[in-house]
């Protein structure tokens, strides 16, 4: 699907409503942008929250400690 959009004076473009719905894009969605020659590509990316990162590291550390037989004290 291709649609024409126009960039504003602030460098902003609008992703058409149909595409936002199709790709599950909401306010605050993060993108990486890549460019080469006359082509730009937007890639939706998931940037984890600090809480998500902490929980993942905590889980990893807890599992490692259990495997190593480390005690909390």
């Amino acid at each position: 699907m291709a649609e024409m959009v126009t960039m504003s004076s602030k460098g902003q473009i609008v992703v058409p409503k149909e595409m936002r719905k199709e790709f599950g894009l909401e306010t605050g969605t993060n993108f990486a942008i890549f460019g080469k020659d006359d082509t730009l590509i937007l890639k939706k990316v998931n940037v984890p929250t600090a809480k998500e990162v902490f929980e993942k590291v905590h889980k990893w550390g807890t599992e490692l400690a259990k495997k190593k037989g480390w005690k909390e004290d």
Side-chain angles (χ1 to χ4, degrees):
M1 160 191 314
E3 291 198 36
M4 295 293 293
V5 297
T6 301
M7 186 171 65
S8 75
S9 61
K10 294 182 180 181
Q12 299 166 322
I13 60 168
V14 174
V15 178
K17 186 175 184 177
E18 188 175 306
M19 287 185 167
R20 293 193 311 261
K21 187 175 179 180
E22 179 181 346
F23 292 99
L25 306 177
E26 299 175 351
T27 300
T29 299
N30 291 290
F31 294 90
I33 185 167
F34 305 90
K36 184 172 181 177
D37 300 326
D38 66 346
T39 302
L40 295 176
I41 297 173
L42 293 174
K43 170 72 173 122
K44 185 170 106 172
V45 294
N46 178 28
V47 178
T49 64
K51 182 178 178 181
E52 291 170 333
V53 172
F54 176 81
E55 288 173 350
K56 187 173 183 177
V57 170
H58 182 265
K59 181 180 177 184
W60 172 81
T62 302
E63 290 172 358
L64 176 64
K66 187 175 180 179
K67 287 180 187 176
K68 298 281 187 178
W70 296 341
K71 303 286 183 201
E72 198 170 315
D73 47 290

